[in-house]
Amino acid sequence: MKYRLNHLQELEAEAVYVIREVFAQFQHPCILFSGGKDSIVLTHLAAKAFAPGPMPFSLLHIDTGHNFQETLDFRDALAEQLQVRLVLGKVEDSIERQTVTEESGPNANRNRAQSITLLESMELHGFDAAMGGGRRDEEKARAKERFFSHRDAFGQWDPKNQGPELWNLYNGRKNEGEHFRIFPISNWTELDIWEYIQQEEIKLPSLYFSHSRLCVKRNGTILADSPYLIPHRLDEKAILQVRFRTIGDMTISGAMESSATSVSEIISELKAMNISERGGRADDFRSESSMEDRKKEGYF
């Protein structure tokens, strides 16, 4: 009897194949690690791809200086557990070098500045490829991207100039100074991610589960109260029972009111939702092309 893979097994096999292709084609690849669920799943897959040997990739984290402490603590613990090199690129350092300018105003954040810090970090440490946890279902700009996403010598992405990827053939050829971003879990959905987390019993930061937190309601978005959030006269503060669907800079990561305290409860909640995962990301509301504009500049 012929053995057939189920849906999650097929996605896992595809991701592992892409990860091994990265190792085979590039000299010094890394994993872009945000501390979010997608980068955690990607790291789990990379470790699984080379087990029982060590994972042959460094973790590169671009630290805005406005991160959740829960994310930073989880990041450090995971790097120690896997015994992998953790490389930090700090937006604060880019600001001091004056290669980026700090935004001002009540909606200021450092999300766009991360692009410059990422490019500087890749050049400084000699990374020629960076794997990220981007998925095509997240946002329309993500849906345009190939598994192997070429970036020119300025770190820029041209969505109109991407090579075809037929028959699972990935072309990592590049010129001096260029690099690639690779997205092994491109074909996964948010539900796939959570069902895989449940299947593999992957640990996550506590932010993903319901907890009580002082929040700020702003323009229909629930943000965690923090010293990084510039006050606005229309802000409403309240202690709420919330969880986060996506984790990034505290000034833009929107929370949702929820009582889900386990992975199974989150999966049930997710199946009943009709709001996109990035629906609470304040930075995505700046313009209809905000994500694509940032990606062209070198964003994840």
Side-chain angles (χ1 to χ4, degrees):
M1 181 177 177
K2 187 176 180 180
Y3 178 73
R4 298 188 64 177
L5 301 179
N6 63 32
H7 178 60
L8 287 181
Q9 288 172 328
E10 288 181 349
L11 289 173
E12 180 188 71
E14 178 183 61
V16 166
Y17 175 79
V18 173
I19 290 166
R20 288 173 177 165
E21 278 292 298
V22 172
F23 180 72
Q25 293 196 42
F26 297 97
Q27 297 296 314
H28 196 194
C30 67
I31 291 176
L32 292 174
F33 188 82
S34 68
K37 67 184 183 309
D38 298 324
S39 65
I40 292 170
V41 166
L42 174 59
T43 303
H44 175 86
L45 288 163
K48 199 168 185 178
F50 294 93
M55 186 180 75
F57 308 112
S58 299
L59 300 182
L60 172 59
H61 180 226
I62 305 303
D63 186 352
T64 66
H66 295 168
N67 295 98
F68 290 91
Q69 189 59 47
E70 294 95 328
T71 303
L72 301 180
D73 292 342
F74 186 93
R75 175 202 69 189
D76 294 343
L78 182 63
E80 183 176 350
Q81 174 194 331
L82 294 175
Q83 295 186 320
V84 295
R85 178 184 177 217
L86 176 62
V87 178
L88 300 181
K90 298 184 178 182
V91 172
E92 292 277 4
D93 294 341
S94 297
I95 293 171
E96 289 182 12
R97 287 191 292 267
Q98 298 184 339
T99 52
V100 299
T101 303
E102 182 91 78
E103 290 186 2
S104 58
N107 296 316
N109 64 69
R110 294 179 172 179
N111 202 42
R112 205 171 195 117
Q114 290 183 88
S115 303
I116 300 299
T117 307
L118 171 57
L119 295 174
E120 290 174 341
S121 299
M122 291 194 67
E123 182 178 7
L124 176 64
H125 297 282
F127 295 125
D128 58 352
M131 289 182 285
R135 308 188 325 269
R136 292 189 180 119
D137 76 319
E138 285 183 273
E139 205 272 345
K140 56 189 178 184
R142 297 260 194 227
K144 297 180 180 181
E145 204 148 27
R146 303 282 194 264
F147 278 99
F148 275 42
S149 181
H150 174 263
R151 304 300 167 102
D152 65 20
F154 299 98
Q156 296 176 326
W157 172 63
D158 181 2
K160 296 179 181 179
N161 185 26
Q162 299 185 89
E165 293 181 337
L166 306 174
W167 307 293
N168 294 330
L169 297 176
Y170 305 110
N171 184 358
R173 283 180 290 184
K174 59 182 178 58
N175 296 318
E176 184 66 29
E178 298 175 344
H179 71 272
F180 273 78
R181 308 283 173 82
I182 298 94
F183 302 98
I185 59 172
S186 288
N187 288 334
W188 298 48
T189 65
E190 184 184 9
L191 181 59
D192 293 330
I193 291 291
W194 280 106
E195 289 182 338
Y196 188 74
I197 287 168
Q198 184 179 51
Q199 173 186 289
E200 300 290 298
E201 299 181 346
I202 298 172
K203 293 182 179 179
L204 297 174
S206 58
L207 295 166
Y208 279 109
F209 304 97
S210 180
H211 59 285
S212 180
R213 178 182 291 269
L214 179 61
C215 298
V216 174
K217 292 185 177 181
R218 176 182 294 182
N219 297 327
T221 300
I222 300 174
L223 299 170
D225 186 49
S226 76
Y228 314 125
L229 201 61
I230 299 172
H232 188 277
R233 62 184 180 83
L234 297 178
D235 286 348
E236 297 178 32
K237 288 192 177 184
I239 296 176
L240 302 173
Q241 202 72 19
V242 298
R243 71 175 184 85
F244 292 84
R245 290 175 73 185
T246 178
I247 297 174
D249 192 302
M250 290 186 74
T251 62
I252 59 173
S253 295
M256 61 174 287
E257 294 189 70
S258 170
S259 60
T261 58
S262 68
V263 174
S264 59
E265 288 177 350
I266 289 173
I267 290 173
S268 297
E269 190 176 71
L270 185 59
K271 287 179 178 179
M273 281 184 188
N274 59 3
I275 299 173
S276 69
E277 182 179 5
R278 294 184 67 92
R281 292 276 294 202
D283 56 324
D284 285 350
F285 300 145
R286 294 193 172 190
S287 77
E288 288 191 6
S289 61
S290 57
M291 169 67 85
E292 184 160 333
D293 291 341
R294 292 198 304 274
K295 287 179 72 63
K296 288 178 180 178
E297 295 171 357
Y299 187 66
F300 310 130

